[in-house]
């Protein structure tokens, strides 16, 4: 029986099933495949979010909660959400103190202005409607609140771009066969990274979704990038 592998048309149920199947070993496989750089990227995201105790952070596509833990450990109210039930179950097994919540990025089950920050790491390219999701993030963010998105991007130097696309992404499925329970999922992930827009294009999409002050910061020569933006309006009181 073949394992689940989503297509680049990104049918939501296929993507969810794919992540359900790799949940147990997902974090370890990512660390192996990136040579540990993923920890540095996540640390950069945490620093960019700069959440303070008392603030409310929605960590969407949180998976097993690896990206949520630094906020919780710092006394920030973080809500890890994902549409993969397998990921959520694995996260809850590890950190039952975190409020793992099932949520579709394009139809969030939260009231308007519920959060001070919405953050998403390495999940936006798996969403079926990117602009729709970005508008949903804006809806649930208070006026003056922040958006922080970390995603794979376009390397800045041609030699780095060639090495990355012709080397790293080509061997990724082969490495995954040794480390993952579902190597076909990583073939999809490699293809989705290659098909993803560059920094400026994603920045324009974020702005077109209604966000202000859109900026980005390259990580590891542009292999990944952090985009951050601000919700229109003056900051309101944090309740």
């Amino acid at each position: 029986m073949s394992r689940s592998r989503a297509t680049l048309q990104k049918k939501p149920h296929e993507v969810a099933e794919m992540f359900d199947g790799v949940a147990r070993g997902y974090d370890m496989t990512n660390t192996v495949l990136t040579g540990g750089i993923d920890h540095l990227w996540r640390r950069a995201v945490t620093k960019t979010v700069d959440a303070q105790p008392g603030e409310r952070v929605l960590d969407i596509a949180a998976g097993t909660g690896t990206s949520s833990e630094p906020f919780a450990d710092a006394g920030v109210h973080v809500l890890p959400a994902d549409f993969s039930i397998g990921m959520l179950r694995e996260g809850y097994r590890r950190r039952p103190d975190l409020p793992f919540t099932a949520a579709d990025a394009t139809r969030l089950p939260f009231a308007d202005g519920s959060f001070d920050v919405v953050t998403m790491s390495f999940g936006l390219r798996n969403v079926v409607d990117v602009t729709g999701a970005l508008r949903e993030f804006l809806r649930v963010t208070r006026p003056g609140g922040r958006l922080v998105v970390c995603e794979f991007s376009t390397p800045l130097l041609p030699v780095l771009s060639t090495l990355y696309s012709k080397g790293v992404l080509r061997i990724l499925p082969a490495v995954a066969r040794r480390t993952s329970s579902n190597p076909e999922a990583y073939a999809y992930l490699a293809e989705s990274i290659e098909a993803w827009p560059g920094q400026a294009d994603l920045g324009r999409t974020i702005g077109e979704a209604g966000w202000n002050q859109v900026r980005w910061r390259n990580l590891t020569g542009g292999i990944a990038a952090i985009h951050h933006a601000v919700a229109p309006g003056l900051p309101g009181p944090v309740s």
Side-chain angles (χ1 to χ4, degrees):
M1 184 175 64
S2 63
R3 296 182 175 91
S4 172
R5 174 182 170 186
T7 68
L8 290 182
Q9 281 68 44
K10 294 183 288 193
K11 295 179 181 178
H13 73 278
E14 290 180 350
V15 177
E17 288 174 1
M18 183 190 73
F19 281 104
D20 288 346
V22 299
R24 182 59 64 95
Y26 184 72
D27 295 323
M28 182 196 71
T29 300
N30 284 346
T31 297
V32 171
L33 292 175
T34 63
I37 295 176
D38 61 317
H39 292 293
L40 299 179
W41 292 344
R42 293 190 186 281
R43 196 175 304 162
V45 170
T46 302
K47 185 175 181 180
T48 301
V49 170
D50 191 28
Q52 304 300 312
E55 286 195 311
R56 299 158 296 183
V57 175
L58 171 62
D59 186 11
I60 187 70
T64 62
T66 301
S67 53
S68 302
E69 289 176 341
F71 301 118
D73 294 343
V76 174
H77 178 72
V78 60
L79 193 154
D82 203 288
F83 74 154
S84 165
I85 300 302
M87 286 286 192
L88 294 172
R89 285 174 175 162
E90 177 62 17
Y92 184 76
R93 185 184 69 83
R94 300 179 189 178
R95 288 292 299 261
D97 58 309
L98 296 182
F100 288 94
T101 302
D104 181 337
T106 63
R107 294 179 296 175
L108 295 173
F110 310 113
D112 296 358
S114 296
F115 299 95
D116 298 285
V117 188
V118 173
T119 183
M120 188 181 211
S121 294
F122 305 107
L124 192 58
R125 75 184 187 284
N126 298 316
V127 176
V128 65
D129 180 2
V130 171
T131 299
L134 290 167
R135 288 173 177 159
E136 268 292 89
F137 300 166
L138 181 60
R139 179 185 66 79
V140 301
T141 302
R142 65 167 174 82
R146 292 108 65 199
L147 172 72
V148 176
V149 172
C150 186
E151 189 53 88
F152 289 104
S153 201
T154 302
L156 302 179
L157 300 176
V159 63
L160 182 58
S161 180
T162 300
L163 177 64
Y164 185 60
S165 62
K166 303 298 184 183
V168 175
L169 294 184
R170 291 294 181 269
I171 67 172
L172 190 153
V175 175
R177 278 193 287 272
R178 295 179 175 271
T179 58
S180 173
S181 61
N182 185 2
E184 290 184 355
Y186 285 86
Y188 157 78
L189 292 175
E191 292 163 6
S192 70
I193 291 169
E194 286 194 282
W196 188 245
Q199 293 88 324
D201 287 339
L202 179 56
R204 278 191 291 271
T205 299
I206 293 172
E208 290 168 358
W211 292 89
N212 291 343
Q213 302 177 42
V214 181
R215 295 170 291 168
W216 61 86
R217 170 191 172 193
N218 290 305
L219 302 174
T220 317
I223 290 176
I226 296 175
H227 284 70
H228 43 111
V230 177
L234 296 175
V238 177
S239 59

